[in-house]
Amino acid sequence: MNDKLNDMTIVKQPIGVFDSGYGGLTILDELTKLMPEYDFIYLGDNARAPYGTRSFDVIYQYTLQAVEKLFSMGCQLIILACNTASAKALRTIQQRDLPLIAPERRVLGVIRPCVEELGLLSRTEHIGVLGTLGTVRSESYLMEIAKLHPNFTVSQESCPTWVPLVENREYDNEGGRYFIKKHIESLLSKDEKIDSIILACTHYPILSEEIKSILPDHIQLIPQGKIVARSLKDYLNRHPEMDQVCSKAGEVKFYTTEFISDFEEKAGVFLKRNLKAEHITLD
Ligand code: DGL
């Protein structure tokens, strides 16, 4: 891959936003609200979602394919708007792949920015983490929180049914609410001092209303999308060389590896607007 930018003309490109499916839309939504002038390409690997129950090797391989695809579409900067991919693939891609395939480009994740803000958010210093099996098993949140907030007590709960509930829009009915309640109760039974819960899967904010209706009032849900958006804006302020290669016409393009019509309908519901998508293959 030729990664050299023309010295005379700076080629400006959209920021890539990747998720296994619809979840990354909760991040994209906040990115476009905070940074409306930037262009984004959203890529949802709906055909292979969920990632959360898959092995390390498979998640890494799928994520790398998506990153390479977004690079081939011109993106200089990619956000893995997926905790599972951030937990399982980000470090290897940053440390092993990027220096070889695109040393001047950047891939960022969602876990670190979220953990950085935790110190400001919890009073009891007892945190709950709700995530996919992959994210929970990776212990990425436990390790990052231990580094930045060593006094914090963290309890985790994996919710393997939640991503399928979101992908299939089956959450706002009796069956969906049963599975949501089950995992909230299980998490809270692990530590009665929890006062803040990280929705450590980008799909989960879509379940916010259902989750809030079960949670006691004193427990807050931590909004990952807003945190990631603030962190990206800050990153671009600190890295003008990257900011100057980001195109800014306020456009968002959507790509899915599954049926276009399904994606347009469901993504439109999540983002509360009509949108057009294109099909893409990753393997
Ligand atoms: N939305 C993703 C996450 O944040 C992935 C969910 C999945 O595909 O299992 O973890």
Side-chain angles (χ1 to χ4, degrees), residues 19-21 23-24 49-53 81-85 132 135 163 200-203:
D19 182 48
S20 61
Y51 278 18
T53 44
C82 174
N83 289 267
T84 311
T132 65
T135 299
V163 170
C201 170
T202 54
H203 280 68

Side-chain angles (χ1 to χ4, degrees), residues 56-178:
F56 171 88
D57 284 345
V58 172
I59 295 167
Y60 163 66
Q61 183 198 335
Y62 286 0
T63 305
L64 182 59
Q65 285 171 349
V67 164
E68 287 180 324
K69 180 65 76 174
L70 285 164
F71 280 164
S72 76
M73 295 160 91
C75 298
Q76 305 292 315
L77 174 63
I78 295 172
I79 310 299
L80 298 185
C82 174
N83 289 267
T84 311
S86 298
K88 298 276 199 180
L90 179 65
R91 190 166 302 232
T92 315
I93 289 175
Q94 284 176 332
Q95 292 178 358
R96 197 174 69 191
D97 300 303
L98 270 191
L100 296 173
I101 61 173
E104 290 164 17
R105 305 193 193 196
R106 291 292 171 266
V107 181
L108 305 175
V110 290
I111 296 178
R112 180 79 186 200
C114 195
V115 170
E116 278 172 359
E117 286 215 6
L118 270 186
L120 304 169
L121 297 170
S122 173
R123 285 181 313 278
T124 63
E125 303 190 341
H126 287 247
I127 303 288
V129 174
L130 293 166
T132 65
L133 208 53
T135 299
V136 166
R137 279 197 188 143
S138 74
E139 301 197 344
S140 296
Y141 275 91
L142 298 185
M143 290 185 287
E144 289 293 332
I145 294 172
K147 269 189 245 159
L148 296 184
H149 314 289
N151 298 333
F152 278 31
T153 305
V154 188
S155 305
Q156 303 196 98
E157 169 79 7
S158 62
C159 316
T161 49
W162 286 15
V163 170
L165 288 180
V166 170
E167 290 284 309
N168 298 299
R169 283 199 62 207
E170 287 289 353
Y171 47 88
D172 52 356
N173 57 42
E174 203 182 325
R177 280 191 285 273
Y178 166 82

Side-chain angles (χ1 to χ4, degrees), residues 26 41 74 85-87 89 99 109 124 129 178 183-185 207 264:
T26 62
I41 292 181
S86 298
T124 63
V129 174
Y178 166 82
H183 290 296
I184 296 288
E185 287 178 349
L207 309 174
E264 289 175 345

Side-chain angles (χ1 to χ4, degrees), residues 19 55 75 145-146 156 189 199 213 259 267-268 278:
D19 182 48
S55 66
C75 298
I145 294 172
Q156 303 196 98
S189 73
L199 296 182
S213 71
F259 290 120
E278 286 176 46

